[in-house]
Amino acid sequence: MDKEERKIINQGQEDEMEIYGYNLSRWKLAIVSLGVICTGGFLLLLLYWMPEWRVKATCVRAAIKDCEVVLLRTTDEFKMWFCAKIRILSLETHPVSSPKSMSNKLSNGHAVCLIENPTEDNRHGIRKYSQAESQQIRYFTHHSVKYFWNDTIHNFDFLKGLDEGVSCTSIYEKHSAGLTKGMHAYRKLLYGVNEIAVKVPSVFKLLIKEVLNPFYIFQLFSVILWSTDEYYYYALAIVVMSIVSIVSSLYSIRKQYVMLHDMVATHSTVRVSVCRVNEEIEEIFSTDLVPGDVMVIPLNGTIMPCDAVLINGTCIVNESMLTGESVPVTKTNLPNPSVDVKGIGDELYNPETHKRHTLFCGTTVIQTRFYTGELVKAIVVRTGFSTSKGQLVRSILYPKPTDFKLYRDAYLFLLCLVAVAGIGFIYTIINSILNEVQVGVIIIESLDIITITVPPALPAAMTAGIVYAQRRLKKIGIFCISPQRINICGQLNLVCFDKTGTLTEDGLDLWGIQRVENARFLSPEENVCNEMLVKSQFVACLATCHSLTKIEGVLSGDPLDLKMFEAIGWILEEATEEETALHNRIMPTVVRPPKQLLPESTPAGNQEMELFELPAIYEIGIVRQFPFSSALQRMSVVARVLGDKKMDAYMKGAPEVIASLCKPETVPVDFQNVLEDFTKQGFRVIALAHRKLESKLTWHKVQNISRDAIENNMDFMGLIIMQNKLKQETPAVLEDLHKANIRTVMVTGDNMLTAVSVARDCGMILPQDKVIIAEALPPKDGKVAKINWHYADSLTQCSHPSAIASEAIPVKLVHDSLEDLQMTRYHFAMNGKSFSVILEHFQDLVPKLMLHGTVFARMAPDQKTQLIEALQNVDYFVGMCGDGANDCGALKRAHGGISLSELEASVASPFTSKTPSISCVPNLIREGRAALITSFCVFKFMALYSIIQYFSVTLLYSILSNLGDFQFLFIDLAIILVVVFTMSLNPAWKELVAQRPPSGLISGALLFSVLSQIIICIGFQSLGFFWVKQQPWYEVWHPKSDACNTTGSLLWNSSHLDNETELDEHNIQNYENTTVFFISSFQYLIVAIAFSKGKPFRQPCYKNYFFVFSVIFLYVFILFIMLYPVASVDQVLQIVCVPYQWRVTMLIIVLVNAFVSITVEESVDRWGKCCLPWALGRGKKIPKAKYMYLAQELLVDPEWPPKPQTTTEAKGLVKGNGPRSPHHSTAASRSQRRR
């Protein structure tokens, strides 16, 4: 039974969860109800906060198959609990539904095993599944996804569309005809409505959710308690503060919901045409679409309401909503394996690998191209929240919690305060009982101690610093959607940068071309636009091999293609709809050179000849496009020169790839060297190739031919050299980060050597540093996976073994401080493929490579995310700065992601910079550090405030006295709130410094600072409290006491006699109370000044004018009422008159206290870092962060870094069996060394 109970859903995915089954239990419910009544509803609140307790308290365990409630727990480090109710979907209501097809549909792991004719199966079906269960399907909904019970895997599974387990062949054979109406209705029942519904919760719902936060409940408890104690004023102040805080929080939460709702709702319902089985076309609402529907894409374009795969025609799509790139993309129909000339194996359709054929939800189809008489059709593969846009919206609606030490420590700290409060609670009760105090008073006073120790104003105080930081960031053009992350940015010690558009300018400029003739490179040429080349194949390739299109008369497309096309100065013309109709087939896009470029074919004098020549215009028609694919790293086209019999194939792409697809005899011998020279200088190189196609290839055959049939046996034509300039500010910003000990890493989709060259140019890799390229090869033909290590600069010298002398091996520098370890002078570089192989087969090497990996080239979007996770696994705080294009996942996963694009893709990243330059990175880190230090200051201050007040009250309880209401009010409102809210206003320090602020509250120096201040404050308070009793004039105070020896005061006393007697039941007016009140009031201000840190993370305290002004004002005011008593103030604050010399004594106590406090805090600051670790743990300290520990280990590892030209092999073909010992691989590399 127990195995039945715990299963895992979404195995291996990001949202993997354990699932347990429960049934409701009547007797448990009855007990809980009783408990709720007895605790006055508090138990209900506890169960509301803890879903796990709620289910366990009211239910009993049951088999998942028949349970009524499921309990889910995430398997990540957060281990969060959720519960969901099982619902039942009844299929009996539906006439066409067949139990057989139903069970099939869900028993197949891919859920979509669709029966062609449901009615045929009905007879067998009903006989086979006559029992009622099969007519009902059990499911639950979690985070907007429905999970259905699946009998074959005996578990819940979410219903997949056509995006998994469906082959390309079956998409054409089974699904391209459309659905019958019955089948459609039946699927609609299962898949539900096709919409991404972001419900904006009502204000009332949000309010309830916000108010039931544990902090607000505690505040409510405090307010009720104070009201019974007649302490109305502060209660009112706390209520006002809570209301302001709740309202602002509600406003921002609701605003985000509304923003998201508007972003999603723009296209939620449109009318679409779908094809039904019998060729008829039906118009339905987009909300009724289900996977398998065949949707007709209208001519003038539309916004896609679902994910669909193109099976007819081509579309031009703007995908900025998903990728952040506003460049229109051409989508072609999915290749049909059964029609292809060269049959490729029947591959499975996958929206990611076939993204050039997939139209994604939320993207805009700008225009379509088609064969006349045929519609542009696409098959719906995913709907609702399973679409790409749906997943983006889900990740925004249900973000992963950010785990930050500061917040964990804050809770630990609160627990400590609660423990202190507990001691006070017990002390108060015992003391009161011994002194025979009434029960009611005991209860109120003992509970009051708790509200004093755990300050209800803490949450407001903590968020103040963050709110101010957010305002300052906004001023410098950085917008933030999750303010909690600002603090985390103060900890960043590694930043990943995207290259193109982030470190370098967005566009590329054409630097020149280098053509090949007779397998030899000619010298580089700058100008492509000349008469000599106009009819060459080289220019023809530039003119045709691109994905440009005219949108409203303007050429648009990939900026790279645009640059190349502009360089040759040709003209592109597209067919209009009327022309297409005339030609009865797709009219090719035509390109031709401008007239002035065409060479004069005849002498100018011969007029007749010229007229005769006119028809022979040189034009090239583009017949078929194979769009650029990042997986293949190339694109190709089939084109035909007007009047030619044969067609031509042109191809361009990454030079290594193109060269491998050309006839070896056409590739120059020095190809590798020439290419390397260019890439080392940081140029982006693109190769071109061409071949004539056989004349038997007709237009129709070309439309169905596969890519591989075209892209082989080409003639190599030469290289195009593009230049990608560094942005002006890049080197300076990176230098600032390096000075501040912040590592920088480049993650790019570009070529490896180009990336290494840019890294050298911008100072990421210094001139004297070595670059080690890790080239990992997956296991093949029974051989294990292996990594070859090359040294980038010695790559060219591989042929001369002697060239690799000892100086090629980087020097290891032994540093005293761990921070400098990162400066050891070698860097690893690798490409996406190698990175994937290393993650899979060399898990022991991953942390070592993360320590010095600087360049990651040719990285796919999901690999960027994996890299960030790998860096986080060795305890780096990782920032990511990208232009939002394909960095969405990485921006979200990083501790601080900054998007440099203002498009909707930036919804995914916590920060968006208005100016598209990386100078926002140091600014953000500076502000983050300032906010973090502010949080620490406020926290320390609030801790001392509660302890000082707690101690004052405990001292006074010992003589059955207390602080008066107005004394409390003066301390809590005038001193504490004013100080806390002005203390947080210090702006950030001007530049980044090398040291980093501590990450948690619980660090030696910080605790020592707090403890020393607590001891000092307690000491001086006790001194005042006990010393006043030793004074010759001291007596137990009564209304007639006259310590001041003034006859005038008799008048003052007698006139208020009635008041005094009435107030005195609390015994507030006495000498001890007055002494403790004055000393503690000064202590709050002393501590505030001691804790207000300036340099190196914030501007110094005296520049924070509001703070300086409020502290001076409060000092003057308290000094004044202490030295020159004002009757009315004394009366309100319930202060008694004490002799003048005692006032001076109190002033001396306060001055000494101030001197001691500030000296101790300064010395903790100055020497705490070096002395404390030495005092606490004599000897060497093991560093906390994994990367520092690793760096120490690697210093003494003789086998690291790997020597040039060696190979490391994996330990057998076991796949990812957890971390292995790091030494085998190097042993392997020793035996494998080859020179």
mmCIF file of all heavy atoms in Angstrom, residues 970-986:
data_model
loop_
_atom_site.group_PDB
_atom_site.id
_atom_site.type_symbol
_atom_site.label_atom_id
_atom_site.label_comp_id
_atom_site.label_asym_id
_atom_site.label_seq_id
_atom_site.Cartn_x
_atom_site.Cartn_y
_atom_site.Cartn_z
ATOM 1 N N PHE A 970 6.033 58.177 22.595
ATOM 2 C CA PHE A 970 7.140 59.049 22.209
ATOM 3 C C PHE A 970 8.294 58.211 21.644
ATOM 4 O O PHE A 970 8.865 58.507 20.598
ATOM 5 C CB PHE A 970 7.609 59.864 23.422
ATOM 6 C CG PHE A 970 8.806 60.720 23.126
ATOM 7 C CD1 PHE A 970 8.693 61.853 22.322
ATOM 8 C CD2 PHE A 970 10.071 60.387 23.627
ATOM 9 C CE1 PHE A 970 9.805 62.636 22.039
ATOM 10 C CE2 PHE A 970 11.172 61.175 23.348
ATOM 11 C CZ PHE A 970 11.049 62.304 22.545
ATOM 12 N N ILE A 971 8.623 57.102 22.351
ATOM 13 C CA ILE A 971 9.732 56.248 21.892
ATOM 14 C C ILE A 971 9.369 55.608 20.550
ATOM 15 O O ILE A 971 10.129 55.675 19.581
ATOM 16 C CB ILE A 971 10.021 55.154 22.952
ATOM 17 C CG1 ILE A 971 10.609 55.790 24.210
ATOM 18 C CG2 ILE A 971 10.975 54.105 22.387
ATOM 19 C CD1 ILE A 971 10.748 54.850 25.385
ATOM 20 N N ASP A 972 8.178 55.003 20.488
ATOM 21 C CA ASP A 972 7.826 54.216 19.293
ATOM 22 C C ASP A 972 7.601 55.088 18.069
ATOM 23 O O ASP A 972 8.031 54.742 16.972
ATOM 24 C CB ASP A 972 6.557 53.388 19.568
ATOM 25 C CG ASP A 972 6.818 52.299 20.595
ATOM 26 O OD1 ASP A 972 8.012 52.063 20.870
ATOM 27 O OD2 ASP A 972 5.869 51.697 21.112
ATOM 28 N N LEU A 973 6.904 56.203 18.244
ATOM 29 C CA LEU A 973 6.572 57.019 17.066
ATOM 30 C C LEU A 973 7.652 58.048 16.772
ATOM 31 O O LEU A 973 8.226 58.071 15.690
ATOM 32 C CB LEU A 973 5.240 57.738 17.275
ATOM 33 C CG LEU A 973 3.980 56.941 16.932
ATOM 34 C CD1 LEU A 973 2.782 57.861 16.993
ATOM 35 C CD2 LEU A 973 4.079 56.331 15.551
ATOM 36 N N ALA A 974 7.931 58.900 17.777
ATOM 37 C CA ALA A 974 8.837 60.025 17.518
ATOM 38 C C ALA A 974 10.258 59.553 17.270
ATOM 39 O O ALA A 974 10.931 60.029 16.372
ATOM 40 C CB ALA A 974 8.791 60.989 18.688
ATOM 41 N N ILE A 975 10.717 58.590 18.075
ATOM 42 C CA ILE A 975 12.118 58.192 17.897
ATOM 43 C C ILE A 975 12.241 57.096 16.836
ATOM 44 O O ILE A 975 12.832 57.286 15.782
ATOM 45 C CB ILE A 975 12.738 57.716 19.229
ATOM 46 C CG1 ILE A 975 12.660 58.843 20.268
ATOM 47 C CG2 ILE A 975 14.182 57.283 19.012
ATOM 48 C CD1 ILE A 975 13.275 58.506 21.612
ATOM 49 N N ILE A 976 11.613 55.939 17.109
ATOM 50 C CA ILE A 976 11.886 54.752 16.280
ATOM 51 C C ILE A 976 11.468 54.948 14.817
ATOM 52 O O ILE A 976 12.270 54.778 13.904
ATOM 53 C CB ILE A 976 11.196 53.497 16.872
ATOM 54 C CG1 ILE A 976 11.635 53.302 18.318
ATOM 55 C CG2 ILE A 976 11.507 52.296 16.015
ATOM 56 C CD1 ILE A 976 13.138 53.224 18.536
ATOM 57 N N LEU A 977 10.203 55.313 14.589
ATOM 58 C CA LEU A 977 9.739 55.390 13.205
ATOM 59 C C LEU A 977 10.504 56.439 12.412
ATOM 60 O O LEU A 977 10.911 56.216 11.276
ATOM 61 C CB LEU A 977 8.237 55.669 13.152
ATOM 62 C CG LEU A 977 7.379 54.467 13.559
ATOM 63 C CD1 LEU A 977 5.920 54.755 13.302
ATOM 64 C CD2 LEU A 977 7.793 53.212 12.816
ATOM 65 N N VAL A 978 10.718 57.602 13.039
ATOM 66 C CA VAL A 978 11.445 58.671 12.343
ATOM 67 C C VAL A 978 12.846 58.190 11.982
ATOM 68 O O VAL A 978 13.298 58.317 10.841
ATOM 69 C CB VAL A 978 11.506 59.944 13.228
ATOM 70 C CG1 VAL A 978 12.436 60.970 12.602
ATOM 71 C CG2 VAL A 978 10.113 60.523 13.389
ATOM 72 N N VAL A 979 13.532 57.581 12.950
ATOM 73 C CA VAL A 979 14.908 57.142 12.706
ATOM 74 C C VAL A 979 14.958 56.058 11.624
ATOM 75 O O VAL A 979 15.748 56.127 10.691
ATOM 76 C CB VAL A 979 15.548 56.632 14.016
ATOM 77 C CG1 VAL A 979 16.832 55.889 13.736
ATOM 78 C CG2 VAL A 979 15.814 57.807 14.945
ATOM 79 N N VAL A 980 14.070 55.063 11.752
ATOM 80 C CA VAL A 980 14.103 53.945 10.787
ATOM 81 C C VAL A 980 13.877 54.449 9.364
ATOM 82 O O VAL A 980 14.585 54.060 8.437
ATOM 83 C CB VAL A 980 13.040 52.894 11.154
ATOM 84 C CG1 VAL A 980 12.688 52.054 9.966
ATOM 85 C CG2 VAL A 980 13.576 52.008 12.254
ATOM 86 N N PHE A 981 12.889 55.326 9.184
ATOM 87 C CA PHE A 981 12.567 55.721 7.818
ATOM 88 C C PHE A 981 13.571 56.722 7.235
ATOM 89 O O PHE A 981 13.690 56.835 6.033
ATOM 90 C CB PHE A 981 11.124 56.240 7.730
ATOM 91 C CG PHE A 981 10.125 55.118 7.809
ATOM 92 C CD1 PHE A 981 9.222 55.023 8.856
ATOM 93 C CD2 PHE A 981 10.132 54.112 6.851
ATOM 94 C CE1 PHE A 981 8.330 53.961 8.947
ATOM 95 C CE2 PHE A 981 9.251 53.046 6.939
ATOM 96 C CZ PHE A 981 8.349 52.965 7.977
ATOM 97 N N THR A 982 14.315 57.445 8.116
ATOM 98 C CA THR A 982 15.318 58.364 7.542
ATOM 99 C C THR A 982 16.680 57.665 7.443
ATOM 100 O O THR A 982 17.486 58.006 6.591
ATOM 101 C CB THR A 982 15.466 59.630 8.401
ATOM 102 O OG1 THR A 982 15.738 59.246 9.735
ATOM 103 C CG2 THR A 982 14.213 60.471 8.350
ATOM 104 N N MET A 983 16.885 56.660 8.293
ATOM 105 C CA MET A 983 18.150 55.919 8.304
ATOM 106 C C MET A 983 18.400 55.217 6.967
ATOM 107 O O MET A 983 19.533 55.024 6.545
ATOM 108 C CB MET A 983 18.021 54.856 9.404
ATOM 109 C CG MET A 983 19.257 54.150 9.788
ATOM 110 S SD MET A 983 18.708 52.939 11.017
ATOM 111 C CE MET A 983 20.239 52.508 11.747
ATOM 112 N N SER A 984 17.298 54.843 6.295
ATOM 113 C CA SER A 984 17.411 54.054 5.055
ATOM 114 C C SER A 984 17.688 54.916 3.837
ATOM 115 O O SER A 984 17.760 54.401 2.730
ATOM 116 C CB SER A 984 16.111 53.284 4.809
ATOM 117 O OG SER A 984 15.661 52.702 5.983
ATOM 118 N N LEU A 985 17.789 56.228 4.033
ATOM 119 C CA LEU A 985 17.862 57.110 2.858
ATOM 120 C C LEU A 985 19.258 57.301 2.280
ATOM 121 O O LEU A 985 19.407 57.955 1.263
ATOM 122 C CB LEU A 985 17.267 58.492 3.201
ATOM 123 C CG LEU A 985 15.733 58.547 3.207
ATOM 124 C CD1 LEU A 985 15.258 59.844 3.813
ATOM 125 C CD2 LEU A 985 15.192 58.408 1.797
ATOM 126 N N ASN A 986 20.304 56.745 2.947
ATOM 127 C CA ASN A 986 21.665 56.939 2.410
ATOM 128 C C ASN A 986 21.770 56.422 0.982
ATOM 129 O O ASN A 986 21.481 55.248 0.737
ATOM 130 C CB ASN A 986 22.691 56.155 3.237
ATOM 131 C CG ASN A 986 22.935 56.784 4.569
ATOM 132 O OD1 ASN A 986 22.068 57.439 5.110
ATOM 133 N ND2 ASN A 986 24.121 56.589 5.117
#
